Amino acid sequence: MAAHRTRWTRGAAPAAAACSVLLSGCTDDTDPSSVASRAASAAESAGSRAADAFASATAEAGRRLDGIKGGVDATDDVKVGSPATDGDGRTTVPVTATNREDSAKSFAVQVDFKDASGNWKDTVVVTVPDVPAGKSGTATARSTHKLSGEVRADVARAVRY
């Protein structure tokens, strides 16, 4: 069965990059407490932007999954494999959905990409269409941007319809 993927949500590029600009300074104030204060402010701002991006991406994924008519929770029927990096530098992960029903069903799956510490990096929604009764179907979830470092993927939510 051919894999089909649909990305419904967009993650934001990591916001931590703003910290490097601050540490180089925008003024000639080199007082250690001033530099530390500016660094703390940038870290707080970057953390806020990352939290906002997470909230936005997961809210959009939730709206998409909640909008599926007749959908039922199928999180226990979906698994992800090991993340890899594709030729464009984006993280991909195989998604396998097992249909335990008596007729063909499709699955919409929210996959969250996280770093080794469990910090959110990206969210995508992928579809696994027309899985025959008693069989499994596969698709590939692909991050919306390049993710650096060790990346893991989790099934945050899945709906069978």
Side-chain angles (χ1 to χ4, degrees), residues 30-53:
T30 57
D31 174 41
S33 65
S34 178
V35 171
S37 176
R38 287 194 317 265
S41 177
E44 183 177 315
S45 177
S48 176
R49 285 192 302 273
D52 289 348

Side-chain angles (χ1 to χ4, degrees), residues 5-7 9-12 14 54 57-58 80-86 89-95 109-126 139-156:
R5 71 170 193 248
T6 302
R7 286 188 314 246
T9 61
R10 295 264 175 201
F54 172 74
T58 56
V80 293
S82 298
T85 303
D86 69 11
R90 295 190 182 183
T91 301
T92 62
V93 63
V95 177
V109 182
Q110 177 185 336
V111 177
D112 287 348
F113 293 99
K114 299 178 180 179
D115 66 16
S117 298
N119 298 309
W120 175 84
K121 294 296 182 185
D122 200 4
T123 292
V124 296
V125 173
V126 63
T140 299
R142 183 176 187 249
S143 65
T144 61
H145 58 277
K146 293 178 182 179
L147 304 176
S148 61
E150 183 181 334
V151 178
R152 65 183 178 108
D154 297 316
V155 175

